[in-house]
């Protein structure tokens, strides 16, 4: 048997073997700080053909991991949020501006709801932008500051802050109009098999969610909780970093972080969670 066929078979067996170790999503309710109730399961968006109900990844974590997210004092991702709050008021660049000079103090709620609609079509740029792309545009065009690295701690912390101020609001990304072409590209990537194991995103997160693969409880791959504090990495992790890790696990060459392919995939995967609450920064394994 050729090597490629053998590895593809190994991947198929790894996924099919988990069927005997089924573990349904945990029935639980996420209330943060005893006051903010999150929508962590709801009816699937109309464009989803094979799933009737969508679940936040929170439902697929162990009890102690879920509990960490119930209280901001126990959520290590909040350290990144606090760092971003300081950066929000820090003057940078040749224009002598801070984020707050244009967008107000973070507690004035001007940024509430922004995270929930990204990625979105940017008319001036003629393409779909992630919130990271929008923030770097602000830095370079409005502040005269250097762009942050897409996967840098500064960028991930600020994205976590944008998620934090929109927590509890429903994810609501637009997939029609000029964004439709990018959404279709993302959908194609989601269902394309990659790597020596010949696995698509859908093989794990649509066909086998709820099953156990090794020690991992497969979720639906919802991204409403990103950036997420991953216990495995002991830090906040950005979404494209997680995409890269998933594709690497199929033994494929991943797309670059911030690439058009990952932007398209982010739009598509985010749309699969329309209706769930913005949950970041979340806690994941």
């Amino acid at each position: 048997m050729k090597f490629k066929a053998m590895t593809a078979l190994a991947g198929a067996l790894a996924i099919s073997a988990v069927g005997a170790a089924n573990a349904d999503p945990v029935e639980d309710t996420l209330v943060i700080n005893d006051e903010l109730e999150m929508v962590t399961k709801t009816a699937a968006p109309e464009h989803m053909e094979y799933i009737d109900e969508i679940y936040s990844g929170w439902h697929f974590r162990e009890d102690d991991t879920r509990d960490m997210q119930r209280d901001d004092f126990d959520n290590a991702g909040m350290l990144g949020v606090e760092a971003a709050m300081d950066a929000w008021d820090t003057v940078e660049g040749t224009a002598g501006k801070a984020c707050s000079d244009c967008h107000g103090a973070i507690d004035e709620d001007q940024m509430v709801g922004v995270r929930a609609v990204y990625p979105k079509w940017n008319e001036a740029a003629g393409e779909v932008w992630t919130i990271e792309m929008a923030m770097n545009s602000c830095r370079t065009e409005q502040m005269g500051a250097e762009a942050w690295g897409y996967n840098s701690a500064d960028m991930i912390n600020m994205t976590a802050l944008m998620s934090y101020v929109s927590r509890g609001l429903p994810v609501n990304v637009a997939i029609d109009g000029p964004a439709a072409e990018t959404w279709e590209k993302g959908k194609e990537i989601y269902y394309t098999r990659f790597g020596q194991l010949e696995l698509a995103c859908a093989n794990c997160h649509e066909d086998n969610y709820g099953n156990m693969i090794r020690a991992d409880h497969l979720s639906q791959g919802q991204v409403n909780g990103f950036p997420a504090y991953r216990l495995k990495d002991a830090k906040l992790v950005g979404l494209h970093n997680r995409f890269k890790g998933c594709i690497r696990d199929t033994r494929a060459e991943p797309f670059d972080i911030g690439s058009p392919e990952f932007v398209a995939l982010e739009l598509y995967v985010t749309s699969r969670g329309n209706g769930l609450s913005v949950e970041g920064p979340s806690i994941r394994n």
Side-chain angles (χ1 to χ4, degrees), residues 14-15 17-19 21-23 62 208 210-218:
I15 294 297
V18 299
N22 184 274
E62 297 296 327
N208 282 285
N211 289 329
M212 302 294 293
I213 180 167
R214 298 187 297 275
D216 190 25
H217 191 187
L218 290 175

Side-chain angles (χ1 to χ4, degrees), residues 126-180:
E127 61 182 356
V128 170
W129 274 14
T130 64
I131 197 167
E132 290 88 349
M133 295 165 70
M135 291 192 296
N136 261 345
S137 177
C138 277
R139 288 184 60 78
T140 59
E141 302 301 319
Q142 304 301 322
M143 299 171 66
E146 291 186 6
W148 281 330
Y150 202 102
N151 198 44
S152 66
D154 287 331
M155 179 68 84
I156 292 170
N157 290 344
M158 190 60 73
T159 306
L161 176 60
M162 294 299 98
S163 294
Y164 168 75
V165 299
S166 291
R167 278 195 313 193
L169 295 178
V171 174
N172 186 27
V173 295
I175 62 174
D176 55 358

